[in-house]
Amino acid sequence: MKKCMLLILFLAVTLPALLTAAEPLALMPVPEKMTMAEGQYRLDASFTVAVNGQADPRLYAAVTRMLRRLSGRTGLFMTQDVITPGKTIENPAMLISCQRAGVVALGEDESYELTVSPAGIELRCVTDIGGLRGLETLLQLLQADEKGFYFPALSIQDKPRFPWRGLMIDVCRHWMPMKVIKRNLDGMAAVKMNVLHLHLSEDQGFRIESKLYPKLHQMGSDGFYFTQTEIKTIIAYANARGIRVIPEFDMPGHTTSWFVGHPELASAPGPYTIERRWGVMDPTMDPTRESTYQLLDGFLGEMAALFPDPYLHIGGDENNGKQWNANPAIQAWMKKKGIKDNHALQAYFNSRLLKILTKHGKRMIGWDEILHPSMPKDIVIHSWRGPDSLVQAARRGYMGILSNGYYIDLIQPASYHYLVDPVRADAQLTPEEQARILGGEATSWAELVTPETIDSRIWPRTAVIAERLWSPVSVRDVDDMYRRMEVISRQLEELDLNHIKNYEMMLRRLANQQETTALRVLADVVEPLKIYKRHSQGVTYYSYSPYTRVVDAARPESMTARSFARKVEAFLESRSGQEGGEIMNQLALWQENHARLLQTMAKAPAIREMESLSQDLADLAAAGLQAAEAIQEGRKLGSDWGALQKEHIERAKKPRGQTELVVVDPIARLIQAAQ
Ligand code: ACM
């Protein structure tokens, strides 16, 4: 049978089914177990929810928020207002049964069971925190058809694979005010994350009020810090969403901002000023003076009382040791004590910190560098330097969490992060060792982000890390992940996250308030340079530099480019007219875009740095168009033509404005195939 006959037969059989089938579901994270059933629960304004059992008030507030989100999405004027423990609801459409109030702490039960049938919805949970996770699943299940909104009938039994599923937000390199934290907590809750790690002190800023040592925040923050009242608000907001808050005070390096008000803590004489550059800096605490520990005892005692979680992060990363090496008093002290090198000196410092934390009822977590045989086994190693250190730590009896592979500030694609597993498949850990791997954290380092752009660097990619940490290890289908990520990304905007909508706003400003279509066509197919390459392109970034250029508006991962690359692959396989047509339309748009963008540029100086890249896209698209036409018609363009295009390809690969054009490879594939 001919290929096209087969296709017609296939369509005849499957098309009716496809047309009537419901939309494929877009849950993220994918639940542990899910069974579809017949029918739907149809949502209307009479929808009500009741809560049975012993839930924390947290659950009632979460149900109210869910109702408002449902109402907001559907436009239905729902009759139920604010859900409180006292009110009884007759014949609720949804019944939540909760056994006990949960505790927002490591290892708490977050399981839930959700059943949707045409007659109603049931959510059962051990703790109300499991209930919160189930409510987010229900919100992701909402579908619509010609008859209105509905939830598909199904049953879900779900629980997390790892107990520590975090997002670290650096509020120091660029200050991130309360509203950034709150909306990101909402985003985290939507994808069932349960740890907010706040990186609160750095060379560039000391971002929390200390009542005992007010010079820390007064002199180290430019006035941008969280008051203790605000911290309590953040903790309460997180608690209401089943999220722990872990503070990090990075020591002994990354501490310049402490020394502005307290130069006596440093290993070299001051004065110090708040750091405005990025990188690993020299200022380091002096671990040989008792006065250092006196201040840390007071300060950490104050912080221990403020943050309820048992864990406190002491950083410990990237101490370059230069100030220690250069200080004769420190060198003499080390000699006297028999401390042989800087690693051992830092281990001594950490052992003193451990005593202080223990006294204040806290457990220590720190970056890789704190791992030392002298440390007790109840500390947590936070792995950032490589996949091995977590395995090593687990073998040596330490608990650990993974961030290596989840550095979202490196601007890598979602597919990369998605396939990084905290438990390496080849690690051959015993079940006991595996259990020491508690999970992971996405890290939002803030050198290159501002409150305006941070959401677009966190979301939606962090949602796929959340899935890696929650869903069964077998959930690894990258194409399906992208399909669901796109849906979830749009839903996240209902939580005030602005990762999609700020794009247009930034393009409008870049276009100097002119029409943005041509600029968007270009910005849609560039990505910021990855893996910190942005710092080595002849531009020096400071904390006060503009983060408003095309590179900042551009998304970490171009879905236009991904979709185009897939169409090219399919076209080269099938040589089909439809894919060929779509590819050619796209190439023609890129080819013609340059002339339009030049008109915009005439009155938009801020985008002129992209002129040559736009020209290169047009040239490459023209060659790609010739290639696609030739392929479609079964012609060959020859190697001389191919050699000529090579130059276009090489030119187009060069970064401009710290961005790179990310459709070069698929166009080069077309050019190659046409020779
Ligand atoms: C780190 O990225 N220096 C923890």
Side-chain angles (χ1 to χ4, degrees):
M1 203 166 354
K2 279 198 171 138
K3 248 192 186 164
C4 66
M5 283 295 287
L6 260 176
L7 184 70
I8 289 167
L9 194 66
F10 171 78
L11 288 178
V13 173
T14 57
L15 212 52
L18 286 176
L19 285 174
T20 53
E23 288 278 298
L25 297 179
L27 299 179
M28 184 167 272
V30 164
E32 188 178 59
K33 283 197 203 110
M34 178 165 81
T35 313
M36 300 307 294
E38 275 299 306
Q40 302 101 18
Y41 177 85
R42 290 273 157 196
L43 187 69
D44 61 35
S46 70
F47 183 74
T48 52
V49 187
V51 180
N52 272 358
Q54 303 297 318
D56 186 275
R58 180 170 41 219
L59 185 58
Y60 294 84
V63 175
T64 304
R65 289 198 302 276
M66 180 194 75
L67 281 176
R68 296 294 84 80
R69 281 164 74 188
L70 281 178
S71 176
R73 268 193 226 168
T74 60
L76 291 168
F77 285 71
M78 292 186 175
T79 51
Q80 200 172 11
D81 55 359
V82 173
I83 317 235
T84 52
K87 285 190 210 162
T88 44
I89 301 285
E90 298 298 325
N91 300 319
M94 176 172 180
L95 182 64
I96 304 177
S97 308
C98 177
Q99 292 174 24
R100 65 171 170 85
V103 181
V104 180
L106 178 63
E108 178 57 294
D109 192 311
E110 297 176 90
S111 67
Y112 68 92
E113 293 181 11
L114 180 66
T115 311
V116 178
S117 77
I121 300 172
E122 261 198 86
L123 175 61
R124 291 172 299 279
C125 44
V126 177
T127 74
D128 59 280
I129 297 168
L132 303 191
R133 310 298 178 235
L135 292 175
E136 296 293 348
T137 302
L138 185 67
L139 279 161
Q140 292 185 354
L141 284 170
L142 184 69
Q143 310 285 305
D145 62 13
E146 66 283 358
K147 290 189 229 140
F149 289 96
Y150 68 91
F151 296 110
L154 48 64
S155 73
I156 287 175
Q157 288 171 297
D158 201 9
K159 65 174 182 327
R161 180 172 161 222
F162 292 104
W164 192 307
R165 307 177 308 279
L167 169 64
M168 188 218 73
I169 301 184
D170 168 6
V171 298
C172 300
R173 267 53 175 263
H174 278 100
W175 166 238
M176 298 293 161
M178 178 71 92
K179 63 182 179 192
V180 173
I181 304 301
K182 282 189 172 175
R183 68 188 188 227
N184 278 286
L185 279 165
D186 280 314
M188 290 170 67
V191 292
K192 303 180 172 53
M193 294 184 110
N194 65 359
V195 180
L196 172 68
H197 164 176
L198 285 177
H199 185 77
L200 286 166
S201 64
E202 252 306 335
D203 296 307
Q204 294 83 3
F206 194 95
R207 304 293 184 198
I208 189 165
E209 176 191 24
S210 170
K211 294 187 201 278
L212 281 181
Y213 300 98
K215 281 195 285 186
L216 287 171
H217 68 273
Q218 284 169 359
M219 298 177 73
S221 74
D222 301 306
F224 297 117
Y225 61 90
F226 292 121
T227 64
Q228 295 199 3
T229 305
E230 284 173 322
I231 288 289
K232 285 177 188 156
T233 303
I234 289 172
I235 292 166
Y237 197 89
N239 183 290
R241 286 149 186 80
I243 296 173
R244 302 159 54 205
V245 179
I246 310 277
E248 179 189 350
F249 304 101
D250 203 349
M251 299 177 273
H254 289 277
T255 40
T256 307
S257 67
W258 301 61
F259 304 156
V260 183
H262 286 277
E264 76 281 4
L265 288 172
S267 300
Y272 289 87
T273 55
I274 296 172
E275 184 58 68
R276 310 291 178 196
R277 298 164 299 171
W278 308 134
V280 176
M281 305 298 164
D282 298 344
T284 308
M285 285 181 181
D286 187 340
T288 68
R289 281 204 298 248
E290 283 308 306
S291 54
T292 302
Y293 301 108
Q294 275 163 19
L295 185 142
L296 289 177
D297 186 14
F299 173 71
L300 291 173
E302 190 183 7
M303 295 300 117
L306 188 58
F307 290 90
D309 200 89
Y311 287 90
L312 191 147
H313 202 303
I314 57 120
D317 58 317
E318 295 182 316
N319 166 19
N320 70 16
K322 286 188 188 168
Q323 283 198 343
W324 290 354
N325 295 340
N327 182 326
I330 291 176
Q331 293 304 311
W333 188 92
M334 285 169 73
K335 210 165 175 185
K336 196 172 98 196
K337 295 264 182 188
I339 291 176
K340 63 178 193 318
D341 57 21
N342 286 342
H343 186 55
L345 182 56
Q346 188 161 341
Y348 168 81
F349 175 73
N350 289 341
S351 71
R352 295 291 304 267
L353 283 183
L354 185 69
K355 281 203 189 90
I356 293 170
L357 291 184
T358 307
K359 173 178 147 192
H360 297 296
K362 296 292 176 194
R363 292 196 199 139
M364 181 184 283
I365 170 168
W367 300 107
D368 283 334
E369 287 94 328
I370 72 163
L371 186 58
H372 189 273
S374 66
M375 298 307 267
K377 296 297 190 301
D378 66 350
I379 67 168
V380 175
I381 303 300
H382 191 170
S383 169
W384 73 281
R385 291 193 297 194
D388 261 356
S389 62
L390 201 58
V391 172
Q392 294 304 329
R395 287 218 177 96
R396 290 158 71 175
Y398 291 95
M399 292 176 289
I401 60 169
L402 185 68
S403 276
N404 180 270
Y406 302 142
Y407 264 47
I408 49 179
D409 63 316
L410 296 179
I411 315 291
Q412 287 162 295
S415 54
Y416 165 74
H417 297 299
Y418 187 57
L419 296 177
V420 172
D421 199 285
V423 181
R424 262 180 35 196
D426 60 348
Q428 300 189 327
L429 295 175
T430 65
E432 197 185 1
E433 288 164 349
Q434 264 194 39
R436 294 191 187 117
I437 296 179
L438 303 176
E441 288 184 0
T443 52
S444 175
W445 298 108
E447 285 91 340
L448 298 174
V449 295
T450 64
E452 183 170 280
T453 57
I454 185 170
D455 295 0
S456 73
R457 273 52 186 152
I458 296 179
W459 307 106
R461 291 176 304 147
T462 293
V464 315
I465 298 173
E467 172 156 300
R468 176 58 47 233
L469 298 173
W470 175 285
S471 301
V473 62
S474 57
V475 177
R476 291 175 69 83
D477 180 333
V478 168
D479 288 339
D480 192 56
M481 174 275 282
Y482 274 108
R483 177 187 68 77
R484 292 178 291 112
M485 183 184 85
E486 285 291 274
V487 177
I488 296 303
S489 181
R490 289 188 287 271
Q491 283 175 14
L492 286 169
E493 283 221 308
E494 83 189 8
L495 299 166
D496 275 353
L497 290 164
N498 57 36
H499 53 295
I500 301 171
K501 65 186 167 217
N502 269 15
Y503 183 58
E504 187 58 32
M505 179 275 290
M506 293 181 77
L507 295 185
R508 221 166 32 237
R509 183 176 54 210
L510 281 161
N512 202 10
Q513 308 306 338
Q514 301 172 88
E515 212 270 319
T516 56
T517 310
L519 177 57
R520 190 169 350 102
V521 167
L522 181 71
D524 275 350
V525 290
V526 299
E527 291 175 7
L529 286 176
K530 297 169 196 314
I531 331 264
Y532 304 142
K533 271 191 286 196
R534 197 173 156 183
H535 293 290
S536 58
Q537 297 288 313
V539 177
T540 304
Y541 277 100
Y542 299 92
S543 55
Y544 50 84
S545 300
Y547 296 87
T548 51
R549 295 156 69 233
V550 174
V551 61
D552 302 292
R555 292 136 168 158
E557 185 169 18
S558 161
M559 287 300 137
T560 306
R562 184 180 145 77
S563 157
F564 179 74
R566 291 167 63 79
K567 277 187 195 142
V568 167
E569 288 311 312
F571 172 60
L572 293 178
E573 263 297 279
S574 69
R575 320 253 152 166
S576 106
Q578 194 198 327
E579 272 138 6
E582 286 178 32
I583 287 168
M584 285 184 238
N585 285 343
Q586 180 70 79
L587 289 164
L589 177 70
W590 288 333
Q591 186 189 1
E592 289 154 16
N593 193 59
H594 184 57
R596 294 195 193 112
L597 189 56
L598 282 177
Q599 288 178 13
T600 315
M601 274 181 192
K603 287 191 188 155
I607 56 175
R608 279 183 207 148
E609 63 177 346
M610 304 304 286
E611 182 175 342
S612 69
L613 190 100
S614 170
Q615 175 76 63
D616 288 352
L617 174 63
D619 292 348
L620 197 61
L625 200 51
Q626 284 184 319
E629 281 164 359
I631 293 165
Q632 183 112 41
E633 291 161 13
R635 284 186 286 118
K636 289 281 178 195
L637 293 168
S639 55
D640 287 352
W641 176 86
L644 221 57
Q645 308 316 320
K646 234 186 159 118
E647 191 197 327
H648 285 146
I649 295 171
E650 289 314 308
R651 239 189 10 234
K653 281 185 180 165
K654 293 206 180 86
R656 253 64 55 87
Q658 292 97 55
T659 71
E660 57 191 338
L661 190 57
V662 287
V663 289
V664 178
D665 285 346
I667 300 177
R669 289 269 292 133
L670 288 171
I671 290 169
Q672 180 66 35
Q675 287 174 48

